[in-house]
Amino acid sequence: MGQVPAFTSYLVIGDGRVARHFRRYFEFEALPFYPWSRRQNTKNELVNLSEHVSHVLLLISDRAIEPFLHENPYLLDKICVHMSGALSVGGATSVHPLMTFSDTLYELEFYRQIPFVIERDANENNALQRFLPGLRNPCFGLSTEHRVLYHALCVLAGNFTVLLWEKAFREFAGKFDLPKDVLIPYLMQTVKNLASSTAGDSVLTGPLARADFSTINKHLKVLENDPYHEVYLAFTHAFQREVHDEVSARLSQNEVTR
């Protein structure tokens, strides 16, 4: 990719949650930027602003990124960056922030800790300074071929666990009159256990870890008419398959090395 280009300023396209967070981050870091969105600005303003920037951040929905560049091809003369975890687009590079963004804006030190996973087929020195100059975040490279699986794992770990916890909060409050707070220590300790675990060691507890299929069957019975019955069953099957594959692999390895 060569030398890091001279930085002038950013054009931040979008007015959604991620765009608001990055405008806030740039303000903290005193980085020059111009905001633009379809709702608040005109196409003429987009053309004029693009003449004064070196980098364009496409912080819009995945499905809108490629059509937007086709509609505005002059933007491709700039360093174009999008933040989709799974999408690969000609003329724009994915720099995915490995973080969840809420409606509440964060503080500077938190923003600085967010890792960025950059789309590239080989390691490149100063990659972050090429695509997001002025930021000092941790930076990692990932080849284009692995991005969809990478993002699928992010969604499994982040978004799907949110659905599970939100269901637990609702059911505890609605059926048992138990406040959300009663679950928070359990949630926080689960996160701490995961964060402190070492590679290859599981912190899984409960009936799956104990292979207590009597309890699992009771759970499935009580969830019979619940939409999450299939979720529970799918997790059980996935876990059994993963354990079986791992045990089979170890047995095969032992046979080879015996």
Side-chain angles (χ1 to χ4, degrees):
M1 301 283 274
Q3 192 171 347
V4 175
F7 171 63
T8 56
S9 59
Y10 290 100
L11 175 56
V12 180
I13 295 174
D15 57 5
R17 189 178 289 172
V18 175
R20 292 195 298 272
H21 275 275
F22 275 87
R23 291 200 298 264
R24 177 66 166 163
Y25 190 9
F26 290 167
E27 287 170 356
F28 274 137
E29 297 286 14
L31 293 171
F33 72 92
Y34 301 97
W36 187 92
S37 73
R38 289 186 190 274
R39 296 179 186 178
Q40 300 179 10
N41 304 101
T42 66
K43 279 294 190 73
N44 285 338
E45 288 175 302
L46 179 64
V47 173
N48 293 334
L49 290 174
S50 70
E51 295 175 358
H52 304 289
V53 304
S54 56
H55 289 67
V56 176
L57 264 62
L58 298 152
L59 305 185
I60 53 182
S61 67
D62 286 18
R63 64 180 179 274
I65 293 171
E66 197 163 13
F68 191 86
L69 287 173
H70 285 161
E71 292 170 15
N72 305 284
Y74 54 89
L75 294 177
L76 295 172
D77 293 334
K78 312 296 178 177
I79 300 293
C80 290
V81 172
H82 66 84
M83 292 190 175
S84 166
L87 189 66
S88 293
V89 178
T93 299
S94 171
V95 182
H96 183 244
L98 189 47
M99 183 50 59
T100 180
F101 295 100
S102 67
D103 288 329
T104 302
L105 299 178
Y106 305 145
E107 296 301 321
L108 174 59
E109 289 309 313
F110 187 87
Y111 285 122
R112 285 179 173 173
Q113 295 172 23
I114 296 173
F116 287 100
V117 179
I118 299 181
E119 174 185 19
R120 62 184 192 275
D121 294 320
N123 288 332
E124 175 196 349
N125 292 330
N126 299 319
L128 189 65
Q129 287 310 302
R130 176 177 178 82
F131 298 110
L132 291 178
L135 301 187
R136 57 191 78 181
N137 298 66
C139 170
F140 303 89
L142 187 68
S143 65
T144 300
E145 65 178 307
H146 290 139
R147 295 197 68 83
V148 175
L149 175 58
Y150 152 81
H151 195 245
L153 294 172
C154 291
V155 171
L156 275 172
N159 298 117
F160 289 176
T161 55
V162 168
L163 291 175
L164 296 175
W165 280 105
E166 288 180 343
K167 177 174 178 60
F169 292 149
R170 286 195 307 271
E171 299 285 334
F172 269 50
K175 294 186 176 177
F176 314 135
D177 197 26
L178 291 173
K180 177 180 178 179
D181 289 350
V182 77
L183 277 164
I184 298 302
Y186 176 35
L187 169 59
M188 299 309 295
Q189 191 58 48
T190 299
V191 172
K192 287 179 182 178
N193 291 347
L194 283 165
S196 63
S197 65
T198 56
D201 291 330
S202 176
V203 295
L204 184 69
T205 63
L208 270 182
R210 299 190 300 268
D212 180 0
F213 292 104
S214 173
T215 298
I216 289 170
N217 286 329
K218 289 178 183 177
H219 293 169
L220 289 169
K221 181 66 176 177
V222 79
L223 290 169
E224 199 166 26
N225 296 315
D226 190 295
Y228 278 75
H229 174 274
E230 295 303 315
V231 176
Y232 194 123
L233 188 60
F235 270 108
T236 302
H237 287 165
F239 177 74
Q240 288 178 297
R241 177 178 171 183
E242 191 169 60
V243 170
H244 177 269
D245 290 347
E246 183 179 338
V247 170
S248 297
R250 288 178 181 175
L251 289 173
S252 298
Q253 183 66 26
N254 288 339
E255 289 173 2
V256 169
T257 58
R258 188 176 300 157

